[in-house]
């Protein structure tokens, strides 16, 4: 099962003081299947991949079309940076 909706593009990346600002196309929420579990899977598949592979990055801030949004699909607040889930 995909954790990132088909058609989603990473538009840009900017790193500031240990936080990676990842700017995604609107497909990440327009095509997202929704639900808390699916949102968390999307978030942490991205965050863990970045933070656990690039040691200079400690957090990930999601942007959609260059803006902070409240949620991906109505359940999980993405308006703040995420650290890795090491469970």
């Amino acid at each position: 099962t995909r954790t990132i909706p088909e058609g989603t593009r990473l538009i840009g990346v900017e790193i500031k003081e240990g936080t990676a600002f990842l700017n995604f196309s609107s497909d990440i929420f327009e095509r997202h299947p929704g639900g808390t579990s699916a949102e968390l899977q999307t978030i942490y598949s991205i965050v863990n991949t970045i933070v656990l592979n690039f040691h200079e990055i400690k957090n990930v801030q999601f942007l959609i079309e260059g803006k902070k949004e409240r949620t991906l699909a109505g359940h999980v607040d993405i308006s703040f940076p995420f650290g890795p889930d090491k469970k």
Side-chain angles (χ1 to χ4, degrees), residues 18-29:
T19 299
F21 293 81
L22 304 182
N23 185 17
F24 289 95
S25 64
S26 60
D27 299 298
I28 198 165
F29 73 84

Side-chain angles (χ1 to χ4, degrees), residues 2-39:
R2 290 179 175 265
T3 59
I4 300 171
E6 188 172 348
T8 299
R9 293 173 291 116
L10 180 62
I11 298 170
V13 176
E14 187 173 346
I15 300 170
K16 292 182 185 175
E17 299 176 11
T19 299
F21 293 81
L22 304 182
N23 185 17
F24 289 95
S25 64
S26 60
D27 299 298
I28 198 165
F29 73 84
E30 289 173 354
R31 295 180 176 200
H32 200 279
T36 304
S37 180
E39 283 183 61

Side-chain angles (χ1 to χ4, degrees), residues 56-81:
E56 66 276 12
I57 299 173
K58 306 298 180 209
N59 301 294
V60 172
Q61 173 67 61
F62 289 87
L63 303 174
I64 301 172
E65 300 290 342
K67 296 186 267 183
K68 284 185 185 179
E69 294 290 342
R70 182 96 171 120
T71 69
L72 281 181
H75 299 92
V76 180
D77 185 356
I78 63 166
S79 65
F80 61 91

